[in-house]
Amino acid sequence: MVLSRLAHGFSAKTLASRYSLEPYLISKITNMVTRLLATELYPEFIKIPVSRRRLIESTQAFEELTSLPNMCGAIDGSPIKVKRGDIGGNMYECRYGYSSVLLQVVADHKKVFWDVCVKAPGGSDDASHLRESLLYNRLVSGDVVWDKVINVRGHHVRPYIVGDWCYPLLSFLMTPFSPDGSGTPAQNLFDGMLMKGRSVVVDAIALLKGRWKILQDLNVGLTHAPQTIVACCVLHNLCQIAREPEPETWKDPDEGGAPARGLENEKSFHYFGDSLRQALADDLHQRLSSR
């Protein structure tokens, strides 16, 4: 019953008449199942790739796609529409004009999520949501250390994730040089390849919303919205790992957004990220030019 609600987006009222139950019972059962998925099954199905085998598989696949070495994931945010009646104020209003909460995911080359965060109202920007997340705190504090280090032009490059310019440039998060192609030939080439790598997370979110249609217009209370969204991400991974057929996807409109500003306490991460990005761009340009 809960799976059909998540997959088709049925309201509690619709399912109540189908199953001859009271709507409040449908809501109660939905919340019970999504809570179990979001807590008990989350660590089984959504894991940061720390094992060497997973890291090598992921970085090799991204390198085949982008020619960039040691990329291990792509990050993006997506607003999940919620019922307007549940909330007051415009902090929940996203850039598309509807009330929402923000979902942040990191996906690998197979469109499997290895990190999920739902901590911000829809009016937040991607950079602020990132900084609220456990993943950011673990990477900044050195709690997650990826030991697959490679040398690129004298720089020690650890595995990194990629995002668009709405995210800050950091040693573990590469972003484009320019949103409008105004960089050098090497920088523009790097940006094109980086965005190719980032496309996996855009496709993964589109697949998530196509497969679990409740996420196109969330009909649960705001209190239970985060666990419902995370539960759908767990089920998405289960489907991807089992190689389930992929349904028609549901894409958000193309987004704009101002480039993220670095914070004072991120200066050293930004400085290293800047020199790593330039080294990766120069190396990529030289390799592809000499072919």
Side-chain angles (χ1 to χ4, degrees):
M1 182 184 77
V2 174
L3 286 174
S4 83
R5 184 174 182 192
L6 300 178
H8 300 287
F10 297 135
S11 67
K13 204 176 272 184
T14 303
L15 283 178
S17 57
R18 183 175 294 184
Y19 288 95
S20 305
L21 292 168
E22 291 294 323
Y24 87 91
L25 260 178
I26 302 285
S27 295
K28 198 172 176 181
I29 295 163
T30 303
N31 295 337
M32 194 171 72
V33 174
T34 55
R35 189 176 69 248
L36 282 169
L37 284 165
T39 54
E40 300 297 316
L41 288 185
Y42 183 98
E44 287 293 309
F45 287 97
I46 299 177
K47 300 176 184 173
I48 294 175
V50 286
S51 77
R52 196 157 178 82
R53 185 187 61 78
R54 256 188 92 195
L55 266 179
I56 288 169
E57 183 195 342
S58 213
T59 53
Q60 281 179 350
F62 273 113
E63 189 162 358
E64 279 170 30
L65 177 67
T66 66
S67 300
L68 288 167
N70 248 15
M71 187 188 295
C72 68
I75 188 169
D76 202 16
S78 179
I80 306 291
K81 190 176 182 183
V82 293
K83 290 189 288 187
R84 190 175 282 278
D86 278 357
I87 48 186
N90 59 3
M91 64 191 281
Y92 282 90
E93 192 169 302
C94 71
R95 57 186 168 265
Y96 306 126
Y98 54 77
S99 298
S100 64
V101 292
L102 204 53
L103 164 67
Q104 173 188 288
V105 290
V106 183
D108 71 10
H109 59 291
K110 290 178 176 171
K111 294 181 279 206
V112 170
F113 301 129
W114 58 252
D115 189 77
V116 174
C117 179
V118 188
K119 275 194 173 175
S124 288
D125 58 85
D126 288 340
S128 302
H129 195 197
L130 168 71
R131 290 172 180 131
E132 287 282 307
S133 69
L134 179 62
L135 175 69
Y136 173 85
N137 287 302
R138 291 186 70 188
L139 287 167
V140 164
S141 68
D143 182 32
V144 174
V145 178
W146 287 307
D147 67 352
K148 185 182 172 288
V149 185
I150 59 164
N151 191 300
V152 177
R153 299 193 160 214
H155 291 77
H156 294 303
V157 181
R158 289 188 180 277
Y160 55 88
I161 58 177
V162 295
D164 64 14
W165 46 86
C166 296
Y167 288 97
L169 170 67
L170 303 163
S171 52
F172 51 81
L173 171 52
M174 294 288 116
T175 60
F177 284 94
S178 144
D180 56 9
S182 58
T184 66
Q187 290 173 347
N188 291 341
L189 175 64
F190 173 88
D191 286 358
M193 291 305 193
L194 180 142
M195 293 305 273
K196 206 174 180 183
R198 177 188 171 266
S199 69
V200 300
V201 72
V202 176
D203 294 345
I205 292 169
L207 180 56
L208 170 77
K209 289 185 174 183
R211 192 177 258 146
W212 306 105
K213 293 184 177 63
I214 195 168
L215 298 181
Q216 296 172 20
D217 196 346
L218 204 56
N219 53 29
V220 301
L222 192 61
T223 322
H224 297 107
Q227 72 182 47
T228 308
I229 297 163
V230 174
C232 290
C233 292
V234 169
L235 291 168
H236 164 91
N237 275 9
L238 205 149
C239 291
Q240 288 305 98
I241 292 161
R243 297 187 182 166
E244 282 287 305
E246 295 188 357
E248 199 173 318
T249 59
W250 195 88
K251 284 211 169 180
D252 290 322
D254 283 340
E255 60 180 305
R261 286 202 184 125
L263 300 183
E264 190 63 32
N265 63 347
E266 292 172 343
K267 262 189 172 168
S268 64
F269 293 101
H270 178 82
Y271 174 78
F272 282 118
D274 198 33
S275 57
L276 287 180
R277 182 173 67 174
Q278 192 60 57
L280 286 165
D282 292 339
D283 178 66
L284 176 73
H285 190 248
Q286 186 185 15
R287 279 187 289 118
L288 296 192
S289 303
S290 59
R291 279 184 184 175

